Amino acid sequence: MNNSNHNPPRLATQFLRWFCAEDLIEEIQGDLEEAYRFRAKSIGTTRARIWYFSDVLKFFRPYSFEKYSRTKQYIPMVKNYFKIAVRNLIKRRGFTALNLLGLSIGMSTVLMLAIYLQHETSYDQMQPDSENIYRLVNNYRDQTYTCMFFNDYYGSDHETQMRLLQHVTNYEEVSVGCHFVPSHSSIGPNEDTYVSIGEKKFVMKDFLYTNTGQEFNEMFPQEFLQGSTSSAFSAFDRVVLTASAVEKFYGTDWDKLSLIGNTISLGDKLYQIGGVVRDVPGNVHFDFNMIVYQKSIPSWGAYTYLKINKEANIGNVISALNGEVDLVYPGYTEDVLSKGIESVPLHDIHFTGGMLYELKPIANNAYIITFGFAGIVILLIIWTNYTNLSIAIYASRQRELGVRKLLGARMKDVQLQILTEAVILTLVCFPIVWLLVYHGLPTFNDLMEVEMMREQLFQSRILMFLGFILVLTGLISGLYPAIFFSRKSLNNLFRGKLNSLGVSRFWNFRNTLLTAQFFMLVGLMSITLIIKNQMSYVQNKELGFDKEGVLFFPISGKENFHRLAAELRKLPEVLNIGNGMVPGAEMYNQLTYKMDGTEEVLSDGTHIYTSLGSMEVLGIKSDAFGILEEQDSVLLINQTAAAKLAKVKGIPVNELAGETLILEPEWENEQFGNGQHYTIAGIVEDFDYFSLKYPSQSLLIEVRSNPEWIYNVILKLESNDWLNTISFIESAYREIEPDRPFNFTFLDDHLEQLYKKEQNAGFLATFLTGVCIILAVMGLIGIVGFVTLSRQREMGIRKVFGASVYDILLTLNRSYIAMIALATALAVPVSLYFGSQWLNNFAYRIEPNYYHVFLAGVLTLFLVAVVVVIQSIRTAQINPSDSLRHE
Amino acid sequence: MKQLGYLEETVLLLIMTMTDDAYGFSVSEEYKNHTGKSISISAIHTVLSRLEKKGLITSAMGGASEERGGRRKRIFSSTPVGKEVIRTIKDSRQVLWSQIPDLS
């Protein structure tokens, strides 16, 4: 008889089994099959099959579904599951502790990353109607300035400073406009200030200067703890302090005092306290300790913001403004270098790179993606780990499951039990994870230089996210064992040997998961190695100047500089004194230049105004310095500029000296006709004036023996007693500059600061790798213990046939070697891709290499071998007679 | 007094006649033989469960057989209540029968 016709159609049967209640299936299927056979004999198989289909379809109705089923003895034994789960967790104390530890560390990391990503992506979202706020930016030459300038620059009076805002707020689309300058921005005064209250004197920084206080508060509302908008901004020369500034001045009990109207002096100027506000959250694109509301802003320009009405279109406002720009800035349209005003939405400020003078470091999308990716990787590792571990646990609990089934538990009951147990374990983690993150947040803030608030952790959003992700983790880790063990027949469960899980097959589910885990581990580790190598490359690269023992600090003006220099020359520790150029600058405005007698104008020149002293401090040498004995200044260019100019002029580089260079040729003047004419005195070797993130720029260095414009002091020191030397310098400084705090920086610290963000990424990557290693090791301990146990007898037999302890260990390790090799091979392209993405931050960079990934692979292998050997050495040493007598 | 529909009454009667061998398929076959109308197995199952809920029949799992693919059947038998109900129906019908004048 044809077998396929002998049985009823399988498709229909499967459908029936899928929808039919478990306790009805036997009788229904039996009846249908009997009917099928009966009909097959009487009317033929074909028609019987059709009948069978129709019968099955007719059963597809509520009667057959679970809740209508005949026997309603089913009571979910959830209480029992809890009891058994808790007993099991307590019974395997060590295992549970290991599980909890791994889970908590991993989950805390995931939560921390989630909060960090939320923080980074939530910049400026909290301002009311933030989607209607725009910042005005100005295009000049080839660069975009994040601030607008005032018509008379530094010399602008109040009316001139307000001219742009007054013009723009006349448009009916614009509801408010404000501008400000933070003191420590690129365009601010950039120096620390003495703040005195009564007798007490403090060194303070981060002031926000504005003369549009009301408007500022309307656009970026501050929460007043004392005072109000009217007390703060009703008259000029008021200051608004943040809570932490007030705490510094008045102690923690400040809220018992009434501070409004108190007098406070900044430097030598008097102000009234107009209000106390809450600290600025970390995810705002500006920061301040104090708002200084005064008639004019101490800068040549200001960061300018507009808020437009809901229905208005910013494009119209900007084009109207550009159309009438000459009313605000006379001569703007005639100036070929001014390329128009644009706007940047408030939400985009934190993500818009490539503009000059941004207030805070912008978010790096590569980082956000990388850290998001790392979070997912850790989550995947946790999931694979706990799937693996729970398979191992239930493999040794098969008899228990068997008894349950024997006593009437259905597939669903077993699944429910396994899932309940898994979720209980993960939910136990909830308070642990929360507390870990709560206490770890300040450290994380310090490390990553962000200001995330602990209050965030109380938000229901965060709590729900944590709960959701933990329950999900429980469900996912229990899913495979739940399906796998609930489907096993009673017989198999009772006979349940540990190795009935297909351990003999190499590419079983568990080993696939392990390989995936090794892949992620190797990937993350090799990216960390790449980051570390690049950072040490950056730190050790020859910069082309001397950075050891170089110290610099601000000073006001020529006269003070010379008085101080005279004092400092008495110190034997001071080798050189100069002023001007300090390497490690952020990019600033570039200017145009060309060779005399050629047409092509280059626009990427960086002009440096410095003293001969600073060149000596930095150890930059040139033959041209000799000329300075006869004349006031020389112009040097670096090799990058020389190469470009030589190409334009069509002469070899070494013939450039003596040629005439014109800076800003579009500027018409009486002295030269066009631009400013210089004679190239010499060429200096390239040195890294900017951060290594940027490629070498064309430097046009104006070196003066006695500069007119002096704003800092730069010293080369050699000392055996730094503390003493510096305190001597400080006391000399105090004599000459009584109103300015002595705020010095060592050049090597300053250079390191340039890579702070990259350095932080390195820390975070190392930390994440550490977490992954801990998780992987914990997972391995569980798995290896289980596998060696299940292979105990095999090892016994091997020993009987003469295998040594070493052979046994090798056998146990062999499979991991294969998995790690595969994982490393898979990690190569992924790591190299992400590694080079990160390296793109740098113009000077190492090449990511296979070597990094292989090193990571070898490290992983070593780690795994150690874990396996420790876990299995006992099995390897066991007397075969013991392990074989097992049953 | 339990209300019984025509189908329920017939099935209950059939079960009583089929001592010890009344299960889904056999009842549907008997129904066909007796009334000449075919009925789906699912309809029979529904009726059986309804009767069981009303307490007129009871059931227990019986023996397996080859043609059922080794599956057991659910054997139904009437309860005393079921018998009582059938008797009441018969009696009330009997009264009516006897009052028909021209039924030869």
Side-chain angles (χ1 to χ4, degrees):
Chain A
M1 197 189 279
N2 185 337
N3 204 30
S4 69
N5 285 344
H6 184 63
N7 287 323
R10 273 189 49 191
L11 189 68
T13 311
Q14 272 171 0
F15 178 60
L16 179 70
R17 292 189 72 96
W18 173 70
F19 72 74
C20 189
E22 237 178 287
D23 46 1
L24 288 178
I25 189 74
E26 185 167 9
E27 54 197 88
I28 291 178
Q29 213 189 337
D31 277 353
L32 290 184
E33 192 160 333
E34 194 177 341
Y36 168 77
R37 276 169 223 245
F38 180 78
R39 290 189 192 119
K41 271 180 216 147
S42 55
I43 55 175
T45 43
T46 318
R47 287 174 68 189
R49 287 168 77 85
I50 296 169
W51 271 102
Y52 186 82
F53 266 106
S54 103
D55 276 346
V56 167
L57 285 180
K58 280 177 191 157
F59 264 106
F60 188 69
R61 55 200 193 131
Y63 162 72
S64 323
F65 305 152
E66 187 77 29
K67 63 179 185 182
Y68 294 97
S69 84
R70 173 183 289 112
T71 44
K72 291 206 169 162
Q73 50 205 210
Y74 167 66
I75 306 150
M77 307 204 299
V78 177
K79 221 168 132 189
N80 177 269
Y81 299 155
F82 271 96
K83 198 186 275 174
I84 298 291
V86 171
R87 280 182 190 164
N88 264 309
L89 291 180
I90 293 171
K91 188 176 153 203
R92 296 160 211 270
R93 269 180 224 102
F95 210 64
T96 307
L98 201 70
N99 258 353
L100 275 181
L101 194 64
L103 200 56
S104 306
I105 293 175
M107 277 301 167
S108 319
T109 312
V110 171
L111 182 63
M112 193 74 101
L113 281 176
I115 298 174
Y116 174 66
L117 291 182
Q118 196 216 337
H119 173 87
E120 279 293 299
T121 50
S122 68
Y123 258 70
D124 296 312
Q125 309 271 350
M126 76 299 281
Q127 313 295 358
D129 302 324
S130 54
E131 65 281 358
N132 295 329
I133 301 178
Y134 295 85
R135 176 198 261 177
L136 292 182
V137 299
N138 187 28
N139 290 315
Y140 189 70
R141 288 212 179 85
D142 291 343
Q143 291 170 310
T144 304
Y145 291 67
T146 52
C147 53
M148 299 302 297
F149 63 100
F150 302 138
N151 229 336
D152 301 331
Y153 296 95
Y154 275 107
S156 305
D157 55 12
H158 178 74
E159 282 65 39
T160 315
Q161 293 190 346
M162 293 302 292
R163 200 181 284 170
L164 172 66
L165 282 180
Q166 266 162 9
H167 182 85
V168 180
T169 44
N170 275 340
Y171 295 141
E172 60 182 37
E173 291 103 323
V174 179
S175 62
V176 206
C178 78
H179 60 196
F180 60 78
V181 170
S183 60
H184 282 66
S185 61
S186 304
I187 68 168
N190 241 312
E191 54 189 74
D192 298 359
T193 309
Y194 280 123
V195 172
S196 355
I197 295 170
E199 294 298 296
K200 288 184 282 182
K201 213 171 181 188
F202 303 89
V203 177
M204 290 296 288
K205 56 196 260 177
D206 290 330
F207 305 136
L208 185 118
Y209 293 102
T210 184
N211 48 14
T212 52
Q214 292 278 8
E215 294 82 355
F216 172 77
N217 193 62
E218 195 174 335
M219 213 180 287
F220 307 109
Q222 305 297 319
E223 193 185 336
F224 278 88
L225 302 173
Q226 277 195 19
S228 64
T229 338
S230 62
S231 68
F233 304 119
S234 55
F236 287 128
D237 296 333
R238 302 259 166 106
V239 292
V240 175
L241 309 174
T242 60
S244 54
V246 173
E247 202 176 307
K248 194 169 170 187
F249 299 151
Y250 293 99
T252 43
D253 289 337
W254 63 268
D255 48 345
K256 297 194 181 71
L257 306 167
S258 172
L259 300 173
I260 308 302
N262 280 14
T263 311
I264 182 172
S265 70
L266 313 185
D268 51 2
K269 215 179 151 195
L270 287 178
Y271 294 83
Q272 257 184 34
I273 295 179
V276 178
V277 296
R278 241 181 238 295
D279 287 3
V280 189
N283 52 353
V284 175
H285 75 278
F286 56 84
D287 192 13
F288 60 82
N289 280 320
M290 209 186 275
I291 301 174
V292 182
Y293 180 52
Q294 58 185 28
K295 194 163 183 193
S296 60
I297 293 174
S299 176
W300 54 265
Y303 298 89
T304 308
Y305 302 82
L306 300 181
K307 188 178 197 169
I308 59 170
N309 297 324
K310 273 203 168 57
E311 307 77 29
N313 181 352
I314 186 69
N316 296 341
V317 176
I318 295 300
S319 57
L321 175 60
N322 276 320
E324 307 171 333
V325 66
D326 286 341
L327 296 176
V328 183
Y329 297 118
Y332 189 96
T333 37
E334 277 172 29
D335 184 357
V336 288
L337 298 176
S338 288
K339 308 234 165 99
I341 297 167
E342 275 182 68
S343 66
V344 177
L346 182 66
H347 288 177
D348 294 351
I349 288 179
H350 188 56
F351 299 95
T352 310
M355 295 190 180
L356 279 186
Y357 308 148
E358 186 51 70
L359 292 171
K360 276 190 181 179
I362 57 151
N364 192 328
N365 274 331
Y367 287 176
I368 291 182
I369 293 168
T370 312
F371 292 144
F373 179 74
I376 293 170
V377 165
I378 290 180
L379 209 53
L380 287 177
I381 289 187
I382 293 174
W383 288 347
T384 52
N385 246 347
Y386 289 97
T387 307
N388 264 341
L389 288 176
S390 45
I391 294 175
I393 288 179
Y394 288 109
S396 60
R397 281 174 59 184
Q398 291 187 71
R399 284 204 181 85
E400 177 200 327
L401 298 178
V403 171
R404 276 180 184 279
K405 278 199 150 183
L406 190 67
L407 294 180
R410 297 158 308 164
M411 225 154 97
K412 258 178 215 145
D413 301 325
V414 174
Q415 287 167 358
L416 194 64
Q417 185 201 353
I418 293 178
L419 291 177
T420 316
E421 286 191 7
V423 172
I424 286 176
L425 183 71
T426 53
L427 282 183
V428 170
C429 282
F430 191 103
I432 306 177
V433 171
W434 194 88
L435 283 173
L436 273 179
V437 174
Y438 185 81
H439 289 288
L441 204 61
T443 320
F444 186 85
N445 276 343
D446 285 350
L447 201 66
M448 295 303 294
E449 294 198 310
V450 288
E451 294 164 55
M452 297 191 291
M453 308 268 185
R454 277 179 164 172
E455 285 77 50
Q456 258 187 298
L457 288 171
F458 294 96
Q459 285 173 6
S460 57
R461 223 177 2 169
I462 298 284
L463 294 175
M464 263 155 65
F465 171 77
L466 180 58
F468 171 76
I469 204 101
L470 283 173
V471 170
L472 188 70
T473 303
L475 290 181
I476 287 179
S477 66
L479 195 63
Y480 183 81
I483 293 173
F484 182 83
F485 288 104
S486 67
R487 286 173 105 171
K488 280 183 100 176
S489 70
L490 262 184
N491 210 343
N492 281 335
L493 281 174
F494 276 115
R495 224 173 22 198
K497 283 177 199 145
L498 292 177
N499 56 8
S500 63
L501 274 167
V503 170
S504 47
R505 226 167 10 103
F506 185 69
W507 286 119
N508 56 26
F509 184 68
R510 221 186 40 235
N511 281 352
T512 314
L513 286 188
L514 265 183
T515 311
Q517 208 179 89
F518 290 143
F519 160 71
M520 295 183 267
L521 192 58
V522 172
L524 214 53
M525 210 189 273
S526 50
I527 290 173
T528 311
L529 281 175
I530 291 174
I531 293 180
K532 293 244 156 210
N533 275 1
Q534 169 69 18
M535 290 325 289
S536 77
Y537 167 79
V538 163
Q539 267 147 16
N540 297 321
K541 184 181 180 294
E542 276 304 321
L543 298 172
F545 57 83
D546 197 1
K547 64 177 177 180
E548 297 305 321
V550 176
L551 185 80
F552 62 94
F553 48 88
I555 199 153
S556 50
K558 195 176 167 183
E559 192 190 330
N560 283 353
F561 173 77
H562 287 297
R563 281 174 61 201
L564 185 68
E567 283 298 310
L568 293 181
R569 283 206 186 87
K570 295 177 190 160
L571 263 191
E573 284 90 350
V574 177
L575 302 184
N576 297 99
I577 303 173
N579 64 73
M581 175 169 75
V582 176
E586 274 301 318
M587 289 283 245
Y588 55 87
N589 54 317
Q590 296 175 334
L591 44 75
T592 47
Y593 59 104
K594 71 169 193 171
M595 290 303 290
D596 196 18
T598 62
E599 283 308 308
E600 192 175 342
V601 178
L602 301 164
S603 61
D604 60 351
T606 297
H607 184 241
I608 301 172
Y609 180 91
T610 189
S611 69
L612 179 61
S614 76
M615 299 303 263
E616 285 164 0
V617 168
L618 295 168
I620 299 171
K621 296 191 174 55
S622 167
D623 299 336
F625 291 155
I627 307 172
L628 283 173
E629 285 167 14
E630 295 144 30
Q631 68 185 61
D632 241 13
S633 79
V634 291
L635 185 86
L636 302 176
I637 58 176
N638 71 345
Q639 283 182 324
T640 308
K644 285 181 192 159
L645 290 172
K647 199 174 150 211
V648 171
K649 183 82 176 169
I651 53 171
V653 171
N654 51 18
E655 286 174 23
L656 276 173
E659 294 286 332
T660 302
L661 179 73
I662 304 174
L663 297 192
E664 303 194 82
E666 63 284 337
W667 174 52
E668 283 168 22
N669 58 59
E670 285 169 14
Q671 194 187 352
F672 300 108
N674 61 331
Q676 196 163 8
H677 292 223
Y678 289 90
T679 306
I680 298 174
I683 296 161
V684 292
E685 296 278 318
D686 277 344
F687 60 95
D688 293 301
Y689 180 57
F690 293 114
S691 144
L692 295 175
K693 289 181 233 170
Y694 310 115
S696 186
Q697 302 287 318
S698 303
L699 302 182
L700 315 168
I701 310 159
E702 188 177 343
V703 185
R704 289 180 165 260
S705 51
N706 189 11
E708 286 301 311
W709 175 53
I710 296 179
Y711 56 95
N712 69 357
V713 182
I714 169 167
L715 303 173
K716 168 86 175 170
L717 303 173
E718 204 171 76
S719 172
N720 296 322
D721 185 1
W722 286 103
L723 219 59
N724 226 336
T725 312
I726 287 173
S727 69
F728 180 88
I729 298 173
E730 180 171 5
S731 57
Y733 186 84
R734 274 182 197 283
E735 283 288 305
I736 294 160
E737 292 272 4
D739 286 336
R740 293 174 77 151
F742 181 62
N743 186 17
F744 64 93
T745 316
F746 276 104
L747 183 57
D748 40 8
D749 292 343
H750 174 65
L751 293 177
E752 207 151 290
Q753 201 63 29
L754 293 176
Y755 312 107
K756 196 70 196 161
K757 195 135 188 167
E758 286 72 20
Q759 200 84 286
N760 291 340
F763 280 137
L764 193 53
T766 316
F767 174 71
L768 294 178
T769 313
V771 169
C772 283
I773 290 176
I774 292 174
L775 289 178
V777 167
M778 285 178 173
L780 263 182
I781 291 175
I783 295 303
V784 172
F786 165 69
V787 169
T788 38
L789 198 68
S790 69
R791 289 175 74 178
Q792 223 173 41
R793 303 184 75 198
E794 176 198 335
M795 295 306 142
I797 292 168
R798 280 178 192 272
K799 276 194 129 180
V800 169
F801 284 104
S804 65
V805 171
Y806 171 78
D807 292 331
I808 301 282
L809 288 180
L810 191 67
T811 315
L812 288 171
N813 267 310
R814 203 155 41 198
S815 54
Y816 299 108
I817 298 177
M819 287 184 230
I820 292 171
L822 181 71
T824 309
L826 289 175
V828 167
V830 179
S831 304
L832 292 188
Y833 174 75
F834 278 101
S836 52
Q837 282 289 310
W838 182 81
L839 286 171
N840 278 343
N841 283 321
F842 292 88
Y844 293 92
R845 55 180 176 243
I846 56 165
E847 276 304 306
N849 205 317
Y850 297 100
Y851 147 84
H852 295 114
V853 190
F854 285 129
L855 185 60
V858 171
L859 284 175
T860 311
L861 186 62
F862 176 73
L863 193 76
V864 170
V866 169
V867 172
V868 173
V869 168
I870 290 174
Q871 268 295 79
S872 55
I873 192 105
R874 222 179 321 143
T875 313
Q877 284 172 336
I878 228 165
N879 188 336
S881 68
D882 289 337
S883 55
L884 291 178
R885 213 173 34 200
H886 193 58
E887 270 168 34
Chain B
M1 182 69 225
K2 305 262 193 276
Q3 290 296 317
L4 279 191
Y6 169 73
L7 186 61
E8 284 172 358
E9 188 187 331
T10 320
V11 170
L12 184 54
L13 283 167
L14 284 172
I15 289 172
M16 287 172 173
T17 59
M18 299 166 61
T19 40
D20 290 351
D21 198 30
Y23 60 96
F25 176 63
S26 66
V27 174
S28 80
E29 282 303 303
E30 275 300 307
Y31 183 87
K32 205 163 29 176
N33 293 342
H34 182 75
T35 63
K37 285 182 277 185
S38 79
I39 184 166
S40 76
I41 299 175
S42 72
I44 289 290
H45 270 262
T46 328
V47 173
L48 288 173
S49 91
R50 219 180 295 151
L51 286 174
E52 194 174 10
K53 260 181 223 153
K54 289 179 179 173
L56 305 182
I57 55 175
T58 178
S59 71
M61 295 308 279
S65 70
E66 173 67 19
E67 63 266 27
R68 295 173 65 83
R71 290 182 190 81
R72 293 175 300 164
K73 20 182 135 153
R74 185 176 287 277
I75 306 284
F76 293 90
S77 55
S78 68
T79 60
V81 183
K83 285 180 184 136
E84 180 64 36
V85 168
I86 284 295
R87 190 170 297 124
T88 320
I89 291 172
K90 194 193 161 197
D91 289 347
S92 69
R93 297 258 167 87
Q94 203 62 55
V95 173
L96 289 174
W97 282 116
S98 61
Q99 287 171 4
I100 299 173
D102 54 348
L103 191 76
S104 52

